[in-house]
Amino acid sequence: MTGNTQSEPSGAQKMFGDFAPALVHFTDDVLFGEVWKRTGLTPKERSLVTVAALATNGNTEQLGYHLGLAKENGNTEAELVEAITHLAFYAGWPQAMAAMAVAKKVFQS
């Protein structure tokens, strides 16, 4: 495990393992190990910003994971739906519709 102290392999390790060890390292140790641990924003705020960025850029593949993490970090489903609705006017209707489809799937499963 690349500096990861979890007993179970991370999502990055499961996806890329030995195929892309540097990407696993940066994901586990830098992104989630350092950036997400910074104190300038709460985990709830970081999650909301991340969901907004993913929705804005149309990155729906990772959005499902981050919607779940946002809920774990204290965001409610209603807050996340509201944030995506709000983004429709700033990020674009198609991005918001795609993000909302992911949210519906995640929240109803």
Side-chain angles (χ1 to χ4, degrees):
M1 291 183 145
T2 310
N4 189 334
T5 59
Q6 297 176 341
S7 59
E8 184 178 313
S10 69
Q13 289 167 330
K14 290 176 186 175
M15 287 174 40
F16 299 115
D18 292 333
F19 182 74
L23 185 60
V24 171
H25 159 72
F26 292 129
T27 301
D28 292 346
D29 298 338
V30 178
L31 177 60
F32 287 106
E34 292 180 32
V35 175
W36 273 83
K37 302 279 189 236
R38 293 173 53 87
T39 59
L41 296 172
T42 66
K44 180 180 179 178
E45 292 165 336
R46 264 186 216 288
S47 281
L48 193 57
V49 169
T50 301
V51 166
L54 292 171
T56 297
N57 290 317
N59 296 324
T60 56
E61 187 172 320
Q62 293 189 0
L63 183 58
Y65 168 79
H66 280 283
L67 286 165
L69 183 60
K71 285 182 61 180
E72 288 177 26
N73 285 335
N75 289 283
T76 66
E77 289 181 10
E79 289 171 329
L80 294 164
V81 167
E82 183 63 27
I84 294 168
T85 301
H86 186 76
L87 285 172
F89 296 93
Y90 292 94
W93 212 265
Q95 289 90 336
M97 293 294 282
M100 198 64 81
V102 173
K104 181 179 179 184
K105 183 178 178 182
V106 168
F107 297 158
Q108 291 185 343
S109 62

